[in-house]
Amino acid sequence: MVDEQAPVPRLVELDVLRGFALGGILLVNIIVMSGPWAFPDGVLLPVLEALFHNKFYVLFSFLFGYSLTMQFRAAERAGVSGRARTVRRCLALMALGAVHAVFFFIGDVLFGYGAIGLILLLLSGLRPRAAVWAAGGLLGFAAVAMTVMILLTDVEGGSTDPSEHTRDLDAMRAGWGEAAAWRWEQFSGNMPQYLVFGVVAVLPLFLLGLAAGKIRLLEDPARYLGWLPRVQLIGFGVGAPVSILGALFHWPLLAGPSLLTAPLLSAAYAATLLRVLHARPRVAEIFAPAGKIAGTTYISQSVITSLIFTGYGFALAGRLNDWAIGAIALAIYATQLYLARIYVRRHRYGPIEWLLRAVTYGPRQFRRAPTAVAP
């Protein structure tokens, strides 16, 4: 039986998975970072759609829900309100996400994580089994709704307006003021759809992470290592074919199944990495440092790509082919992994982590050494 009062050490598995997910997130995000709508036509876009799109935010969202349970346990040990801490953290994420979306990257997830995190807080009392059922129900609804929407759009014959594309591209290449105004227009105008998508497609992943955290799934390798081959078999055997077919043919009827099976492929990726980690523990040295400062790593990806693609720097949006953009993403990620490894040797927190912890726990917590490291 699991001891619910046991100390909660920092889990290297969570940091490794976060650090790994950040690479996939960048490869997907750079599609939008490098131009207002999508990559230039080429081979790379279908590859990213098949293997990366809607796969790594799934993993990151699961880890968010898992971490919430660890934060609650840390608050319980400290004798303070875990709910109050979580509210402060979510509000800080929303504020940070709004700034990030307006000034750097319109595809920000932090605002949504903060907003949906408040809903997760309301549901945090669910038992693990109930959380899994709720997640399944929401994902099923999202799959049906997405399929219907895509079928209706296909029937109505949605079209791309070249003049709108040109306007958006010019805004990306503009300076701070014009670019920020364009991003604010996009951010505020799409807010209702953004939050609805978060409730039906992101909240379920939070709930799955919450359920896993409540049973401390990743805190005892003996409990999950034996299941990993089966997770890989299902994920690669079911999730991968559906994802590949959807990316190659864009059949509307695959929209719903793709949403449902994306977590299966994400789980297969995670299972593969965990098996490698336990066979070769030094793999942690590659990914865990970036995972420890995940917020800083995520924001810095947007800052760097803004300098490359927007008017803040070289204004290369829409001017590079797909392989050049993909190479830039890999170079950024490899550099971040290297620099994160150096950084965490000297610093306990990244700048974004420091800010979030200061809001969550209060600035005085940095002046005392905690007995256990909170996630």
Side-chain angles (χ1 to χ4, degrees), residues 38 46 56-57 63 74-75 78 87 138 140 151 169 197 205 210 217 239 251 254 268 322 326 337 345 356 359 366 368:
F56 289 86
Y57 92 84
L63 296 172
V87 168
L138 284 171
L151 286 172
L169 192 57
F197 176 83
L205 307 171
L210 180 79
L217 179 64
W251 292 329
L254 276 181
D322 54 347
L337 292 178
R345 291 173 183 169
L356 289 174
V359 174
F366 292 104
R368 61 178 183 272

Side-chain angles (χ1 to χ4, degrees), residues 206-285:
F206 284 6
L207 287 169
L208 291 176
L210 180 79
K214 285 194 169 188
I215 64 173
R216 301 194 178 194
L217 179 64
L218 296 178
E219 292 160 60
D220 181 5
R223 300 182 63 197
Y224 64 79
L225 282 175
W227 288 90
L228 296 183
R230 276 171 274 189
V231 173
Q232 290 175 295
L233 180 63
I234 295 171
F236 292 130
V238 177
V242 173
S243 184
I244 292 170
L245 287 173
L248 290 178
F249 301 107
H250 295 99
W251 292 329
L253 289 177
L254 276 181
S258 293
L259 182 66
L260 289 175
T261 57
L264 300 180
L265 187 51
S266 299
Y269 289 157
T272 302
L273 182 58
L274 288 173
R275 293 187 71 184
V276 172
L277 174 64
H278 285 279
R280 299 285 187 272
R282 293 196 65 178
V283 168
E285 299 175 10

Side-chain angles (χ1 to χ4, degrees), residues 289-355:
K292 289 179 181 178
I293 54 171
T296 297
T297 303
Y298 172 70
I299 294 291
S300 66
Q301 289 175 350
S302 300
V303 173
I304 295 168
T305 53
S306 292
L307 293 174
I308 295 172
F309 295 109
T310 77
Y312 299 170
F314 298 103
L316 293 178
R319 293 191 169 109
L320 299 178
N321 63 41
D322 54 347
W323 290 104
I325 295 169
I328 288 172
L330 292 175
I332 291 172
Y333 181 55
T335 302
Q336 287 184 310
L337 292 178
Y338 174 73
L339 293 179
R341 188 172 178 178
I342 296 174
Y343 183 90
V344 299
R345 291 173 183 169
R346 302 181 181 181
H347 305 281
R348 189 176 179 85
Y349 308 109
I352 299 300
E353 287 70 32
W354 193 99
L355 176 62

Side-chain angles (χ1 to χ4, degrees), residues 139-152 196 200 255-256 259:
L139 281 175
F141 173 80
V144 172
M146 179 173 289
T147 302
V148 171
M149 288 176 60
I150 290 180
L151 286 172
L152 290 176
V196 168
V200 299
L259 182 66

